Amino acid sequence: MYQTEIESKAQSIYIHLPFCKTKCPYCDFASFAKVSEWDLKRDYLDALLNEIKHKMNLVRLEKISTIFFGGGTPSVHSPEEIKAILQSIKKHSSFADDIEITMELNPGTVDKEKLQAFVDIGINRVSFGAQSFDEKLLEKLGRGHSLQDSFDTVEILQNLDLKSWSFDLIYGLPGQSLASWQDTVNQALSFEPKHISAYALSIETGTPYGDIYKNSLHPSLPQEDLLADMYLFANDKFAATGLQRYEISNWALAGHECRHNLCYWQAHEYLAFGLSAHGYIDSRRYSNTRDLRKYIETFQQDSQDFFYAADTLDLITPAEAEEEEFMLALRLNTGISRSSTLFSKLNQSKLQEFIEQSLCSEENGVVSLTAKGALLSNEIIFALMKT
């Protein structure tokens, strides 16, 4: 049995809410849209509240500074359900005065009254899953919402008392042209968001898209050169409006970076609750089961072991933690400073080669990826780690 109490500097919490209005054909997350699965929602929420109570009784935390509701589609839940989760957390830890509480939200799942109710209970940042402003592509994506739904939701968001809100966009979609992507980028920017996340479509096995397209080389999908053009176009357009790239796939106005996601990218510890949730605490990375019924059954029980129900549990050694920190640091525009102990881990000959190829830059003693380098981030980071 593990120790009965953990002392941690973790200040962030992730909550997974797996229920959706529709199941997107590209989605590999633990999410459910069938009536039979929704019938378990009440039992799931009870199990989630019990997991929060059990685990937070076994850990001593500093003030919570970020909470992130992901999914699934958290906005299909009622404000009362979200409030109960927040109250459960607050019973065991205090909230920072400037806490960031983010909810993922999809068009067609909220109206003005519901969104205002979310704000009233403490939601102060929204991650808005627009994904595309091409009506035909939305249909292919099986998003379950129309362009008008997106426009209506944006209008409401713009008039709410939020700290920030963000668009989530996807490029590299089946049959998507550069012109279509450019229209989506321009449409998104016309709403003057303070943050945008833009990700290339990933074809995952076990999903309908995985069955159809098999992998990213399918002729219906944009290939490497077009994907690069899409990314670089977006990066340039975002920068022109003041949205600066602070992570490979994320852009924000100064002060509107997602603090919760920065917790991950800066390799800080955090708690995670819910189906398939992955957490990092006491130098251990853990995950919960993806099986909905098993999760509900598991968290009907208590234990004096924080990790008793972990589906996976890995001790991260100091060497592994430093390697993770190295890799994550290079994803951020803050990069690796010459004054950092990580700088000595850089392969200097490769670094010089990448600088000459405009894949990396060094400014004011900080090494980071250029926009061009971000397209090859995995290969570059791996090469820079090799001595």
Side-chain angles (χ1 to χ4, degrees):
M1 178 175 291
Y2 195 73
Q3 65 194 65
T4 57
E5 186 174 70
I6 299 170
E7 187 167 348
S8 174
K9 293 183 178 179
Q11 298 181 37
S12 295
I13 292 176
Y14 172 77
I15 305 289
H16 190 78
L17 297 173
F19 301 99
C20 288
K21 180 181 175 182
T22 59
K23 177 76 171 180
C24 300
Y26 57 85
C27 179
D28 187 42
F29 294 124
S31 58
F32 308 100
K34 294 179 181 177
V35 172
S36 60
E37 294 158 341
W38 268 70
D39 284 344
L40 297 173
K41 183 163 77 79
R42 182 65 262 166
D43 291 338
Y44 177 81
L45 291 172
D46 287 343
L48 174 64
L49 292 174
N50 198 50
E51 182 191 5
I52 292 170
K53 180 190 72 172
H54 156 67
K55 289 184 176 176
M56 293 197 75
N57 275 332
L58 297 175
V59 65
R60 284 190 292 170
L61 300 171
E62 299 181 0
K63 285 188 175 183
I64 302 301
S65 64
T66 75
I67 298 173
F68 195 104
F69 289 93
T73 308
S75 56
V76 300
H77 287 268
S78 70
E80 291 74 23
E81 289 169 334
I82 302 300
K83 182 179 180 180
I85 296 169
L86 290 173
Q87 288 177 331
S88 179
I89 294 170
K90 206 165 189 178
K91 285 180 183 177
H92 302 280
S93 183
S94 59
F95 288 3
D97 291 341
D98 64 343
I99 188 170
E100 172 194 277
I101 305 179
T102 303
M103 170 183 283
E104 290 183 342
L105 176 154
N106 282 349
T109 62
V110 292
D111 55 22
K112 182 178 179 179
E113 289 70 30
K114 189 175 182 180
L115 269 173
Q116 183 60 59
F118 283 137
V119 172
D120 291 342
I121 63 169
I123 303 299
N124 55 28
R125 184 179 181 277
V126 165
S127 181
F128 177 43
Q131 311 306 1
S132 175
F133 288 104
D134 183 320
E135 191 85 67
K136 291 182 179 178
L137 287 179
L138 279 180
E139 293 175 4
K140 286 185 180 180
L141 287 172
R143 293 292 295 167
H145 72 263
S146 66
L147 274 183
Q148 191 59 52
D149 289 331
S150 292
F151 297 152
D152 292 344
T153 305
V154 170
E155 183 178 358
I156 299 169
L157 289 174
Q158 290 175 322
N159 290 287
L160 286 177
D161 184 21
L162 292 166
K163 285 187 176 181
S164 195
W165 62 274
S166 171
F167 275 128
D168 285 349
L169 304 176
I170 300 178
Y171 62 96
L173 301 173
Q176 187 178 36
S177 65
L178 179 59
S180 170
W181 172 241
Q182 290 172 335
D183 287 343
T184 282
V185 168
N186 289 328
Q187 182 68 74
L189 290 174
S190 73
F191 296 116
E192 300 182 349
K194 296 178 173 64
H195 187 288
I196 293 182
S197 299
Y199 298 98
L201 177 69
S202 178
I203 303 299
E204 304 290 347
T205 58
T207 66
Y209 267 23
D211 294 339
I212 296 169
Y213 300 109
K214 309 303 180 187
N215 57 53
S216 60
L217 298 178
H218 192 280
S220 295
L221 299 171
Q223 296 303 298
E224 187 175 325
D225 288 346
L226 179 52
L227 289 173
D229 288 343
M230 289 176 169
Y231 180 87
L232 294 173
F233 172 82
N235 183 71
D236 290 346
K237 291 292 289 188
F238 296 159
T241 61
L243 294 164
Q244 297 301 317
R245 177 174 58 87
Y246 71 100
E247 192 273 341
I248 288 176
S249 301
N250 290 268
W251 294 257
L253 298 180
H256 289 275
E257 298 84 358
C258 180
R259 286 164 43 203
H260 184 86
N261 286 342
L262 282 170
C263 160
Y264 304 152
W265 299 324
Q266 293 171 347
H268 295 166
E269 292 192 352
Y270 63 97
L271 290 172
F273 303 113
L275 188 76
S276 78
H278 288 63
Y280 180 36
I281 193 167
D282 200 36
S283 299
R284 286 163 170 79
R285 292 197 180 276
Y286 67 91
S287 68
N288 289 336
T289 179
R290 287 178 62 101
D291 185 311
L292 182 59
R293 293 181 184 276
K294 182 179 178 182
Y295 174 85
I296 292 170
E297 292 170 2
T298 297
F299 286 104
Q300 290 173 343
Q301 311 165 42
D302 286 333
S303 168
Q304 290 305 301
D305 179 0
F306 181 95
F307 300 107
Y308 83 100
D311 199 49
T312 64
L313 180 61
D314 298 303
L315 174 65
I316 306 302
T317 67
E320 290 170 331
E322 184 177 66
E323 183 176 303
E324 287 186 1
E325 186 180 356
F326 182 99
M327 292 187 294
L328 292 167
L330 285 171
R331 292 186 62 89
L332 296 167
N333 69 337
T334 48
I336 295 177
S337 169
R338 279 188 174 273
S339 62
S340 166
T341 56
L342 295 176
F343 192 86
S344 63
K345 307 295 181 181
L346 285 165
N347 183 318
Q348 297 298 321
S349 62
K350 282 292 184 183
L351 173 59
Q352 189 56 42
E353 178 183 328
F354 292 143
I355 289 175
E356 291 172 359
Q357 295 172 353
S358 298
L359 299 173
C360 289
S361 66
E362 183 178 351
E363 298 181 12
N364 301 317
V366 174
V367 171
S368 60
L369 299 178
T370 63
K372 181 180 175 183
L375 294 166
L376 303 168
S377 59
N378 290 338
E379 295 92 329
I380 292 172
I381 292 171
F382 179 74
L384 288 174
M385 289 176 63
K386 294 179 68 175
T387 57

